[in-house]
CSV table of all heavy atoms in Angstrom, one decimal:
chain,number,residue,atom,x,y,z
A,1,MET,N,93.8,-74.6,-60.8
A,1,MET,CA,92.8,-74.3,-61.8
A,1,MET,C,92.4,-72.9,-61.6
A,1,MET,O,92.4,-72.3,-60.4
A,1,MET,CB,91.6,-75.2,-61.6
A,1,MET,CG,90.6,-75.1,-62.7
A,1,MET,SD,89.5,-76.6,-62.9
A,1,MET,CE,88.6,-76.6,-61.4
A,2,LYS,N,92.0,-72.2,-62.6
A,2,LYS,CA,91.8,-70.8,-62.6
A,2,LYS,C,90.4,-70.6,-63.1
A,2,LYS,O,89.9,-71.2,-64.1
A,2,LYS,CB,92.8,-69.9,-63.4
A,2,LYS,CG,92.9,-68.5,-63.1
A,2,LYS,CD,94.1,-67.9,-64.0
A,2,LYS,CE,94.0,-66.5,-64.0
A,2,LYS,NZ,92.8,-65.9,-64.6
A,3,ALA,N,89.6,-69.7,-62.5
A,3,ALA,CA,88.2,-69.3,-63.1
A,3,ALA,C,88.3,-67.9,-63.7
A,3,ALA,O,88.9,-67.1,-63.3
A,3,ALA,CB,87.2,-69.4,-61.9
A,4,ASN,N,87.4,-67.8,-64.7
A,4,ASN,CA,87.3,-66.5,-65.4
A,4,ASN,C,85.8,-66.2,-65.6
A,4,ASN,O,85.0,-67.2,-65.9
A,4,ASN,CB,88.0,-66.6,-66.7
A,4,ASN,CG,89.5,-66.3,-66.6
A,4,ASN,OD1,89.9,-65.3,-65.9
A,4,ASN,ND2,90.3,-67.0,-67.4
A,5,VAL,N,85.5,-65.0,-65.4
A,5,VAL,CA,84.1,-64.6,-65.7
A,5,VAL,C,84.3,-63.6,-66.9
A,5,VAL,O,84.9,-62.6,-66.8
A,5,VAL,CB,83.4,-64.0,-64.5
A,5,VAL,CG1,82.0,-63.4,-64.9
A,5,VAL,CG2,83.3,-64.9,-63.3
A,6,ASP,N,83.5,-63.9,-67.9
A,6,ASP,CA,83.3,-62.9,-69.0
A,6,ASP,C,82.2,-61.9,-68.6
A,6,ASP,O,81.0,-62.1,-68.8
A,6,ASP,CB,82.9,-63.6,-70.2
A,6,ASP,CG,82.7,-62.6,-71.4
A,6,ASP,OD1,83.0,-61.5,-71.3
A,6,ASP,OD2,82.3,-63.1,-72.5
A,7,LYS,N,82.8,-60.8,-68.1
A,7,LYS,CA,81.8,-59.8,-67.5
A,7,LYS,C,80.9,-59.2,-68.6
A,7,LYS,O,79.9,-58.6,-68.2
A,7,LYS,CB,82.7,-58.6,-66.9
A,7,LYS,CG,83.3,-59.1,-65.6
A,7,LYS,CD,83.6,-57.8,-64.8
A,7,LYS,CE,84.2,-58.2,-63.5
A,7,LYS,NZ,83.8,-57.4,-62.4
A,8,SER,N,81.2,-59.3,-69.8
A,8,SER,CA,80.4,-58.6,-70.8
A,8,SER,C,79.1,-59.3,-70.9
A,8,SER,O,78.1,-58.8,-71.4
A,8,SER,CB,81.1,-58.6,-72.3
A,8,SER,OG,81.3,-60.0,-72.7
A,9,GLY,N,79.0,-60.6,-70.5
A,9,GLY,CA,77.8,-61.3,-70.5
A,9,GLY,C,77.1,-61.6,-69.1
A,9,GLY,O,75.9,-62.0,-69.1
A,10,CYS,N,77.9,-61.4,-68.1
A,10,CYS,CA,77.3,-61.5,-66.8
A,10,CYS,C,76.1,-60.7,-66.5
A,10,CYS,O,76.2,-59.5,-66.8
A,10,CYS,CB,78.4,-61.3,-65.8
A,10,CYS,SG,78.0,-61.4,-64.0
A,11,ILE,N,75.1,-61.2,-65.8
A,11,ILE,CA,73.9,-60.4,-65.6
A,11,ILE,C,73.9,-60.2,-64.0
A,11,ILE,O,72.7,-59.7,-63.5
A,11,ILE,CB,72.7,-61.1,-66.0
A,11,ILE,CG1,72.5,-62.6,-65.4
A,11,ILE,CG2,72.6,-61.2,-67.6
A,11,ILE,CD1,71.2,-63.3,-65.6
A,12,GLY,N,74.8,-60.5,-63.2
A,12,GLY,CA,74.9,-60.2,-61.8
A,12,GLY,C,73.9,-60.9,-61.0
A,12,GLY,O,73.4,-60.4,-60.0
A,13,CYS,N,73.5,-62.1,-61.4
A,13,CYS,CA,72.4,-62.8,-60.6
A,13,CYS,C,72.9,-63.3,-59.3
A,13,CYS,O,72.2,-63.5,-58.4
A,13,CYS,CB,71.9,-64.0,-61.5
A,13,CYS,SG,73.1,-65.3,-61.7
A,14,GLY,N,74.3,-63.4,-59.2
A,14,GLY,CA,74.8,-63.8,-57.9
A,14,GLY,C,74.7,-65.3,-57.5
A,14,GLY,O,75.2,-65.7,-56.5
A,15,LEU,N,74.3,-66.1,-58.5
A,15,LEU,CA,74.2,-67.6,-58.3
A,15,LEU,C,75.6,-68.2,-58.0
A,15,LEU,O,75.8,-69.0,-57.1
A,15,LEU,CB,73.6,-68.2,-59.5
A,15,LEU,CG,73.0,-69.5,-59.4
A,15,LEU,CD1,71.9,-69.5,-58.2
A,15,LEU,CD2,72.3,-70.0,-60.7
A,16,CYS,N,76.6,-67.8,-58.8
A,16,CYS,CA,78.0,-68.3,-58.7
A,16,CYS,C,78.5,-68.0,-57.3
A,16,CYS,O,79.1,-68.8,-56.6
A,16,CYS,CB,78.8,-67.8,-59.8
A,16,CYS,SG,79.0,-66.1,-59.9
A,17,VAL,N,78.2,-66.9,-56.7
A,17,VAL,CA,78.6,-66.3,-55.5
A,17,VAL,C,77.9,-67.3,-54.4
A,17,VAL,O,78.6,-67.7,-53.3
A,17,VAL,CB,78.4,-64.9,-55.3
A,17,VAL,CG1,78.9,-64.5,-53.8
A,17,VAL,CG2,79.0,-64.2,-56.3
A,18,ASP,N,76.7,-67.5,-54.6
A,18,ASP,CA,75.9,-68.4,-53.6
A,18,ASP,C,76.5,-69.8,-53.6
A,18,ASP,O,76.5,-70.3,-52.5
A,18,ASP,CB,74.4,-68.5,-54.0
A,18,ASP,CG,73.6,-67.2,-53.7
A,18,ASP,OD1,74.2,-66.3,-53.0
A,18,ASP,OD2,72.5,-67.1,-54.3
A,19,ILE,N,76.9,-70.2,-54.7
A,19,ILE,CA,77.4,-71.7,-54.8
A,19,ILE,C,78.8,-71.7,-54.3
A,19,ILE,O,79.2,-72.7,-53.6
A,19,ILE,CB,77.2,-72.2,-56.3
A,19,ILE,CG1,75.7,-72.3,-56.5
A,19,ILE,CG2,77.9,-73.5,-56.3
A,19,ILE,CD1,75.5,-72.6,-58.0
A,20,CYS,N,79.6,-70.8,-54.8
A,20,CYS,CA,81.1,-70.9,-54.4
A,20,CYS,C,81.7,-69.6,-54.0
A,20,CYS,O,82.4,-69.0,-54.9
A,20,CYS,CB,81.8,-71.6,-55.6
A,20,CYS,SG,83.5,-71.9,-55.3
A,21,PRO,N,81.4,-69.0,-52.8
A,21,PRO,CA,81.9,-67.8,-52.4
A,21,PRO,C,83.4,-67.8,-52.3
A,21,PRO,O,84.0,-66.7,-52.1
A,21,PRO,CB,81.1,-67.5,-51.2
A,21,PRO,CG,80.7,-68.8,-50.6
A,21,PRO,CD,80.5,-69.6,-51.8
A,22,GLU,N,84.0,-68.9,-52.1
A,22,GLU,CA,85.4,-69.0,-52.1
A,22,GLU,C,86.2,-68.6,-53.3
A,22,GLU,O,87.4,-68.2,-53.1
A,22,GLU,CB,85.9,-70.4,-51.7
A,22,GLU,CG,85.4,-71.0,-50.4
A,22,GLU,CD,84.0,-71.8,-50.7
A,22,GLU,OE1,83.3,-71.6,-51.6
A,22,GLU,OE2,83.5,-72.5,-49.7
A,23,VAL,N,85.5,-68.6,-54.4
A,23,VAL,CA,86.1,-68.2,-55.7
A,23,VAL,C,85.5,-66.9,-56.3
A,23,VAL,O,86.2,-66.1,-56.8
A,23,VAL,CB,86.1,-69.4,-56.7
A,23,VAL,CG1,86.6,-68.9,-58.1
A,23,VAL,CG2,86.9,-70.6,-56.1
A,24,PHE,N,84.2,-66.8,-56.1
A,24,PHE,CA,83.5,-65.8,-57.0
A,24,PHE,C,82.9,-64.7,-55.9
A,24,PHE,O,82.6,-65.0,-54.7
A,24,PHE,CB,82.3,-66.4,-57.6
A,24,PHE,CG,82.7,-67.4,-58.7
A,24,PHE,CD1,82.6,-68.7,-58.5
A,24,PHE,CD2,83.3,-67.0,-59.9
A,24,PHE,CE1,82.9,-69.6,-59.4
A,24,PHE,CE2,83.6,-67.9,-60.8
A,24,PHE,CZ,83.5,-69.3,-60.6
A,25,ARG,N,83.0,-63.5,-56.4
A,25,ARG,CA,82.3,-62.4,-55.6
A,25,ARG,C,81.7,-61.5,-56.6
A,25,ARG,O,82.1,-61.4,-57.8
A,25,ARG,CB,83.4,-61.7,-54.7
A,25,ARG,CG,84.4,-60.9,-55.4
A,25,ARG,CD,85.4,-60.3,-54.5
A,25,ARG,NE,86.5,-59.7,-55.3
A,25,ARG,CZ,87.6,-59.4,-54.7
A,25,ARG,NH1,87.8,-59.6,-53.5
A,25,ARG,NH2,88.6,-58.9,-55.4
A,26,ILE,N,80.8,-60.6,-56.0
A,26,ILE,CA,80.2,-59.5,-56.9
A,26,ILE,C,81.1,-58.3,-56.7
A,26,ILE,O,81.3,-57.9,-55.5
A,26,ILE,CB,78.8,-59.2,-56.5
A,26,ILE,CG1,77.9,-60.5,-56.7
A,26,ILE,CG2,78.3,-58.0,-57.2
A,26,ILE,CD1,77.7,-60.9,-58.2
A,27,GLY,N,81.5,-57.8,-57.7
A,27,GLY,CA,82.5,-56.7,-57.7
A,27,GLY,C,81.7,-55.3,-57.5
A,27,GLY,O,80.5,-55.3,-57.5
A,28,GLU,N,82.5,-54.3,-57.4
A,28,GLU,CA,81.8,-53.0,-57.2
A,28,GLU,C,80.9,-52.6,-58.5
A,28,GLU,O,80.1,-51.8,-58.4
A,28,GLU,CB,82.9,-51.9,-57.0
A,28,GLU,CG,83.5,-51.9,-55.7
A,28,GLU,CD,84.5,-50.8,-55.5
A,28,GLU,OE1,84.6,-49.9,-56.3
A,28,GLU,OE2,85.2,-50.9,-54.5
A,29,ASP,N,81.2,-53.2,-59.5
A,29,ASP,CA,80.4,-52.9,-60.8
A,29,ASP,C,79.1,-53.7,-60.8
A,29,ASP,O,78.3,-53.7,-61.8
A,29,ASP,CB,81.3,-53.2,-62.0
A,29,ASP,CG,81.8,-54.5,-62.0
A,29,ASP,OD1,81.5,-55.4,-61.2
A,29,ASP,OD2,82.6,-54.8,-63.0
A,30,GLY,N,78.9,-54.6,-59.8
A,30,GLY,CA,77.7,-55.3,-59.6
A,30,GLY,C,77.7,-56.7,-60.5
A,30,GLY,O,76.8,-57.4,-60.5
A,31,LEU,N,78.9,-57.0,-61.1
A,31,LEU,CA,79.1,-58.1,-61.8
A,31,LEU,C,80.0,-59.0,-61.1
A,31,LEU,O,80.9,-58.7,-60.3
A,31,LEU,CB,79.7,-57.8,-63.2
A,31,LEU,CG,78.8,-56.8,-64.0
A,31,LEU,CD1,79.4,-56.4,-65.3
A,31,LEU,CD2,77.4,-57.5,-64.3
A,32,ALA,N,79.9,-60.3,-61.4
A,32,ALA,CA,80.7,-61.3,-60.8
A,32,ALA,C,82.1,-61.2,-61.2
A,32,ALA,O,82.4,-61.0,-62.4
A,32,ALA,CB,80.1,-62.7,-61.0
A,33,GLU,N,83.1,-61.7,-60.3
A,33,GLU,CA,84.5,-61.8,-60.7
A,33,GLU,C,85.1,-63.0,-59.9
A,33,GLU,O,84.6,-63.3,-58.8
A,33,GLU,CB,85.2,-60.5,-60.5
A,33,GLU,CG,85.3,-60.2,-59.0
A,33,GLU,CD,85.7,-58.7,-58.7
A,33,GLU,OE1,85.8,-57.9,-59.7
A,33,GLU,OE2,86.1,-58.3,-57.6
A,34,ALA,N,86.1,-63.7,-60.5
A,34,ALA,CA,86.8,-64.6,-59.8
A,34,ALA,C,88.0,-64.0,-59.1
A,34,ALA,O,88.8,-63.5,-59.8
A,34,ALA,CB,87.3,-65.8,-60.8
A,35,TYR,N,87.9,-64.0,-57.8
A,35,TYR,CA,88.9,-63.3,-57.0
A,35,TYR,C,90.0,-64.2,-56.4
A,35,TYR,O,90.9,-63.7,-55.8
A,35,TYR,CB,88.2,-62.4,-55.9
A,35,TYR,CG,87.7,-63.2,-54.8
A,35,TYR,CD1,88.3,-63.4,-53.6
A,35,TYR,CD2,86.5,-63.9,-54.9
A,35,TYR,CE1,87.9,-64.0,-52.6
A,35,TYR,CE2,85.9,-64.5,-53.8
A,35,TYR,CZ,86.6,-64.6,-52.7
A,35,TYR,OH,86.1,-65.4,-51.6
A,36,ALA,N,89.7,-65.4,-56.5
A,36,ALA,CA,90.7,-66.4,-55.9
A,36,ALA,C,90.8,-67.6,-56.8
A,36,ALA,O,89.9,-68.0,-57.6
A,36,ALA,CB,90.2,-66.8,-54.5
A,37,PRO,N,92.0,-68.2,-56.8
A,37,PRO,CA,92.3,-69.4,-57.5
A,37,PRO,C,91.4,-70.5,-57.1
A,37,PRO,O,90.9,-70.6,-55.9
A,37,PRO,CB,93.7,-69.8,-57.4
A,37,PRO,CG,94.1,-69.1,-56.0
A,37,PRO,CD,93.2,-67.8,-55.9
A,38,VAL,N,91.1,-71.6,-58.0
A,38,VAL,CA,90.3,-72.6,-57.7
A,38,VAL,C,91.3,-73.7,-57.1
A,38,VAL,O,92.2,-74.0,-57.7
A,38,VAL,CB,89.6,-73.2,-59.0
A,38,VAL,CG1,88.8,-74.5,-58.6
A,38,VAL,CG2,88.7,-72.1,-59.6
A,39,THR,N,91.0,-74.1,-55.9
A,39,THR,CA,91.8,-75.1,-55.3
A,39,THR,C,91.1,-76.5,-55.3
A,39,THR,O,89.9,-76.7,-55.7
A,39,THR,CB,92.0,-74.8,-53.8
A,39,THR,OG1,90.6,-74.9,-53.1
A,39,THR,CG2,92.6,-73.3,-53.6
A,40,PRO,N,91.8,-77.6,-54.9
A,40,PRO,CA,91.2,-78.9,-54.9
A,40,PRO,C,90.0,-78.9,-54.1
A,40,PRO,O,89.0,-79.6,-54.4
A,40,PRO,CB,92.3,-79.8,-54.4
A,40,PRO,CG,93.6,-79.1,-54.8
A,40,PRO,CD,93.3,-77.6,-54.8
A,41,GLU,N,90.0,-78.1,-53.0
A,41,GLU,CA,88.8,-78.1,-52.1
A,41,GLU,C,87.7,-77.3,-52.8
A,41,GLU,O,86.6,-77.7,-52.4
A,41,GLU,CB,89.3,-77.3,-50.8
A,41,GLU,CG,90.2,-78.0,-49.8
A,41,GLU,CD,91.7,-78.1,-50.4
A,41,GLU,OE1,92.0,-77.1,-51.1
A,41,GLU,OE2,92.3,-79.1,-50.1
A,42,THR,N,87.9,-76.4,-53.6
A,42,THR,CA,86.8,-75.6,-54.1
A,42,THR,C,86.5,-76.0,-55.5
A,42,THR,O,85.5,-75.5,-56.1
A,42,THR,CB,87.1,-74.1,-54.1
A,42,THR,OG1,88.2,-73.8,-54.8
A,42,THR,CG2,87.2,-73.7,-52.6
A,43,ALA,N,87.2,-76.9,-56.2
A,43,ALA,CA,87.0,-77.2,-57.5
A,43,ALA,C,85.6,-77.7,-57.9
A,43,ALA,O,84.9,-77.4,-58.9
A,43,ALA,CB,88.0,-78.3,-58.0
A,44,GLU,N,85.1,-78.6,-56.9
A,44,GLU,CA,83.7,-79.1,-57.3
A,44,GLU,C,82.7,-78.1,-57.3
A,44,GLU,O,81.8,-78.0,-58.2
A,44,GLU,CB,83.4,-80.1,-56.1
A,44,GLU,CG,82.3,-81.0,-56.5
A,44,GLU,CD,82.1,-82.2,-55.6
A,44,GLU,OE1,83.1,-82.8,-55.0
A,44,GLU,OE2,81.0,-82.5,-55.2
A,45,ARG,N,82.7,-77.1,-56.3
A,45,ARG,CA,81.8,-76.0,-56.2
A,45,ARG,C,82.0,-75.0,-57.3
A,45,ARG,O,80.9,-74.5,-57.9
A,45,ARG,CB,81.7,-75.4,-54.8
A,45,ARG,CG,81.0,-76.1,-53.8
A,45,ARG,CD,80.8,-75.3,-52.6
A,45,ARG,NE,81.9,-74.8,-51.9
A,45,ARG,CZ,82.7,-75.6,-51.2
A,45,ARG,NH1,82.5,-76.9,-51.0
A,45,ARG,NH2,83.9,-75.0,-50.7
A,46,ALA,N,83.2,-74.8,-57.7
A,46,ALA,CA,83.5,-73.9,-58.7
A,46,ALA,C,83.0,-74.4,-60.0
A,46,ALA,O,82.2,-73.8,-60.9
A,46,ALA,CB,85.0,-73.6,-58.9
A,47,THR,N,82.9,-75.8,-60.3
A,47,THR,CA,82.4,-76.4,-61.5
A,47,THR,C,80.9,-76.4,-61.5
A,47,THR,O,80.2,-76.1,-62.4
A,47,THR,CB,82.8,-77.9,-61.5
A,47,THR,OG1,84.3,-77.9,-61.6
A,47,THR,CG2,82.4,-78.6,-62.8
A,48,GLU,N,80.4,-76.5,-60.2
A,48,GLU,CA,78.9,-76.3,-60.0
A,48,GLU,C,78.4,-75.0,-60.4
A,48,GLU,O,77.4,-74.8,-61.1
A,48,GLU,CB,78.6,-76.7,-58.6
A,48,GLU,CG,77.3,-77.4,-58.3
A,48,GLU,CD,77.2,-77.5,-56.7
A,48,GLU,OE1,78.0,-78.4,-56.2
A,48,GLU,OE2,76.3,-77.1,-56.2
A,49,ALA,N,79.2,-74.0,-60.0
A,49,ALA,CA,78.8,-72.5,-60.2
A,49,ALA,C,78.8,-72.4,-61.7
A,49,ALA,O,78.0,-71.7,-62.4
A,49,ALA,CB,79.8,-71.7,-59.6
A,50,LYS,N,79.9,-72.9,-62.4
A,50,LYS,CA,80.0,-72.8,-63.9
A,50,LYS,C,78.8,-73.4,-64.5
A,50,LYS,O,78.2,-72.7,-65.4
A,50,LYS,CB,81.3,-73.5,-64.3
A,50,LYS,CG,81.5,-73.4,-65.8
A,50,LYS,CD,82.5,-74.4,-66.2
A,50,LYS,CE,82.3,-74.9,-67.8
A,50,LYS,NZ,83.3,-75.9,-68.1
A,51,ASP,N,78.4,-74.5,-64.1
A,51,ASP,CA,77.3,-75.2,-64.6
A,51,ASP,C,76.0,-74.5,-64.5
A,51,ASP,O,75.0,-74.6,-65.2
A,51,ASP,CB,77.2,-76.7,-64.2
A,51,ASP,CG,78.3,-77.5,-64.9
A,51,ASP,OD1,79.0,-77.1,-65.7
A,51,ASP,OD2,78.7,-78.6,-64.3
A,52,ALA,N,75.9,-73.8,-63.3
A,52,ALA,CA,74.6,-73.2,-62.9
A,52,ALA,C,74.5,-71.8,-63.6
A,52,ALA,O,73.3,-71.3,-63.7
A,52,ALA,CB,74.6,-73.1,-61.4
A,53,CYS,N,75.5,-71.1,-64.0
A,53,CYS,CA,75.4,-69.8,-64.5
A,53,CYS,C,74.4,-69.8,-65.7
A,53,CYS,O,74.6,-70.5,-66.6
A,53,CYS,CB,76.8,-69.3,-65.0
A,53,CYS,SG,76.7,-67.8,-65.8
A,54,PRO,N,73.4,-69.0,-65.5
A,54,PRO,CA,72.3,-69.0,-66.5
A,54,PRO,C,72.7,-68.5,-68.0
A,54,PRO,O,72.1,-68.8,-69.0
A,54,PRO,CB,71.2,-68.1,-65.9
A,54,PRO,CG,71.9,-67.2,-65.0
A,54,PRO,CD,73.1,-68.0,-64.5
A,55,VAL,N,73.9,-67.7,-68.0
A,55,VAL,CA,74.3,-67.2,-69.2
A,55,VAL,C,75.6,-67.8,-69.7
A,55,VAL,O,76.3,-67.4,-70.6
A,55,VAL,CB,74.3,-65.7,-69.3
A,55,VAL,CG1,72.9,-65.1,-69.3
A,55,VAL,CG2,75.1,-65.2,-68.0
A,56,SER,N,76.1,-68.8,-68.9
A,56,SER,CA,77.3,-69.5,-69.3
A,56,SER,C,78.5,-68.7,-69.6
A,56,SER,O,79.2,-68.9,-70.6
A,56,SER,CB,77.1,-70.4,-70.5
A,56,SER,OG,75.9,-71.4,-70.3
A,57,VAL,N,78.9,-67.7,-68.7
A,57,VAL,CA,80.0,-66.9,-68.9
A,57,VAL,C,81.2,-67.2,-68.0
A,57,VAL,O,82.2,-66.5,-68.0
A,57,VAL,CB,79.7,-65.4,-68.7
A,57,VAL,CG1,78.7,-64.9,-69.8
A,57,VAL,CG2,79.1,-65.1,-67.3
A,58,ILE,N,81.1,-68.3,-67.2
A,58,ILE,CA,82.1,-68.8,-66.4
A,58,ILE,C,83.1,-69.8,-67.2
A,58,ILE,O,82.4,-70.7,-67.7
A,58,ILE,CB,81.6,-69.3,-65.1
A,58,ILE,CG1,80.9,-68.3,-64.3
A,58,ILE,CG2,82.8,-69.9,-64.2
A,58,ILE,CD1,80.2,-68.8,-63.0
A,59,GLU,N,84.3,-69.5,-67.1
A,59,GLU,CA,85.2,-70.6,-67.7
A,59,GLU,C,86.1,-71.1,-66.7
A,59,GLU,O,86.6,-70.2,-65.8
A,59,GLU,CB,86.0,-69.9,-68.8
A,59,GLU,CG,85.2,-69.8,-70.2
A,59,GLU,CD,86.1,-69.4,-71.3
A,59,GLU,OE1,87.3,-69.0,-71.0
A,59,GLU,OE2,85.6,-69.4,-72.4
A,60,LEU,N,86.5,-72.2,-66.7
A,60,LEU,CA,87.6,-72.7,-65.8
A,60,LEU,C,88.7,-73.1,-66.7
A,60,LEU,O,88.6,-74.0,-67.6
A,60,LEU,CB,87.0,-73.9,-65.0
A,60,LEU,CG,85.9,-73.7,-64.1
A,60,LEU,CD1,85.3,-74.9,-63.4
A,60,LEU,CD2,86.2,-72.6,-63.0
A,61,GLU,N,89.8,-72.6,-66.3
A,61,GLU,CA,91.0,-72.9,-67.1
A,61,GLU,C,91.7,-74.0,-66.4
A,61,GLU,O,91.9,-74.1,-65.2
A,61,GLU,CB,92.0,-71.7,-67.2
A,61,GLU,CG,91.6,-70.7,-68.1
A,61,GLU,CD,92.5,-69.4,-68.1
A,61,GLU,OE1,93.6,-69.6,-67.5
A,61,GLU,OE2,92.1,-68.4,-68.6
A,62,GLY,N,92.3,-75.0,-67.1
A,62,GLY,CA,93.0,-76.1,-66.7
A,62,GLY,C,92.1,-77.2,-66.0
A,62,GLY,O,92.4,-78.0,-65.1
A,63,GLU,N,90.8,-77.2,-66.5
A,63,GLU,CA,89.8,-78.1,-66.0
A,63,GLU,C,90.2,-79.6,-66.6
A,63,GLU,O,90.5,-79.7,-67.7
A,63,GLU,CB,88.5,-77.8,-66.6
A,63,GLU,CG,87.3,-78.4,-66.0
A,63,GLU,CD,85.9,-77.9,-66.5
A,63,GLU,OE1,86.0,-77.1,-67.5
A,63,GLU,OE2,84.9,-78.3,-65.9
A,64,GLU,N,90.0,-80.4,-65.7
A,64,GLU,CA,90.4,-81.8,-66.1
A,64,GLU,C,89.2,-82.4,-66.8
A,64,GLU,O,88.1,-82.1,-66.3
A,64,GLU,CB,90.7,-82.7,-64.8
A,64,GLU,CG,92.0,-82.4,-64.1
A,64,GLU,CD,92.2,-83.1,-62.8
A,64,GLU,OE1,91.7,-84.2,-62.7
A,64,GLU,OE2,92.9,-82.6,-61.9
A,65,SER,N,89.5,-83.0,-67.8
A,65,SER,CA,88.3,-83.5,-68.7
A,65,SER,C,88.4,-85.1,-68.7
A,65,SER,O,89.3,-85.7,-68.1
A,65,SER,CB,88.5,-83.1,-70.1
A,65,SER,OG,89.6,-83.2,-70.7
B,101,SF4,S1,76.1,-67.1,-62.2
B,101,SF4,FE1,76.8,-66.2,-64.1
B,101,SF4,S2,75.5,-64.3,-64.6
B,101,SF4,FE2,75.2,-64.9,-62.5
B,101,SF4,S3,76.6,-63.6,-61.3
B,101,SF4,FE3,77.7,-65.5,-61.6
B,101,SF4,S4,78.8,-65.2,-63.6
B,101,SF4,FE4,77.2,-63.5,-63.5
């Protein structure tokens, strides 16, 4: 599974990084980016980060529904 952050909407609050630092980090531009693939180990926290994002700019590709 792969995570994507739509930087045009990210407000750089850092919540996703707090929740799932294995996948998300704050880049040099002060906005979040997904720098690593989502693994079975991190899928739960990546989903939590997605749900917690206050502006809903995190997308998970290949999410099981
Ligand atoms: S939680 Fe959302 S708004 Fe906050 S840094 Fe992460 S992607 Fe950006």
Side-chain angles (χ1 to χ4, degrees):
M1 190 156 72
K2 193 174 173 297
N4 274 316
V5 175
D6 177 5
K7 287 199 175 216
S8 66
C10 172
I11 56 172
C13 71
L15 200 55
C16 56
V17 183
D18 286 347
I19 294 171
C20 188
E22 299 90 345
V23 174
F24 302 100
R25 69 182 172 196
I26 297 293
E28 285 179 12
D29 55 7
L31 303 174
E33 59 193 20
Y35 70 98
V38 180
T39 65
E41 287 74 31
T42 57
E44 197 174 321
R45 279 195 302 286
T47 303
E48 217 179 293
K50 175 197 160 184
D51 292 343
C53 176
V55 287
S56 302
V57 293
I58 297 174
E59 279 189 355
L60 296 179
E61 283 174 18
E63 192 176 7
E64 287 173 33
S65 53

